[in-house]
Amino acid sequence: MDDPVGRDEFDTAAEVDAVFRTQRRIAIGYVIVFIGGMLLIPVGTLASGWWPSSRLSSWATGFVVAGAGLYVFFFLLGLGAASLANSVEQRMLGTPAGNDRPDSES
């Protein structure tokens, strides 16, 4: 019997719970990487006092480069977290049959 509502496509509570636990572990891992990246600047400042006052060019000090590098770090971290989370959810839960193709009457 054909199910017009698509109730057969819903995931079980155990599957959703497994995805939640996996996503939580991924998020905690990325939070640890984020905190480590943020602490790298003050630790680098304390470990070597020369880089904050050094000039890489006429205008770029170590802090300017670190500030610009943080934007790149945040972008790559967000991109990595989002793509990993999406791929894990896609692999664990999948997509409903026919969801990846345009709607058509069959």
Side-chain angles (χ1 to χ4, degrees):
M1 177 174 220
D2 190 25
D3 186 13
V5 179
R7 292 187 185 126
D8 293 334
E9 300 298 331
F10 287 103
D11 299 306
T12 64
E15 290 172 329
V16 173
D17 189 47
V19 171
F20 171 75
R21 287 192 313 271
T22 304
Q23 295 284 21
R24 183 177 53 198
R25 275 184 299 218
I26 291 170
I28 289 170
Y30 273 99
V31 164
I32 291 170
V33 171
F34 174 80
I35 291 172
M38 293 303 298
L39 291 177
L40 196 62
I41 294 174
V43 168
T45 302
L46 293 175
S48 65
W50 63 267
W51 79 268
S53 60
S54 65
R55 294 212 175 261
L56 301 174
S57 68
S58 62
W59 59 272
T61 64
F63 279 122
V64 171
V65 173
L70 280 177
Y71 282 108
V72 173
F73 173 71
F74 292 153
F75 177 76
L76 293 176
L77 189 69
L79 186 67
S83 63
L84 180 61
N86 285 338
S87 67
V88 165
E89 184 175 350
Q90 181 72 26
R91 277 185 276 139
M92 291 181 80
L93 293 179
T95 58
N99 194 20
D100 54 348
R101 59 192 164 124
D103 292 336
S104 61
E105 289 293 323
S106 339

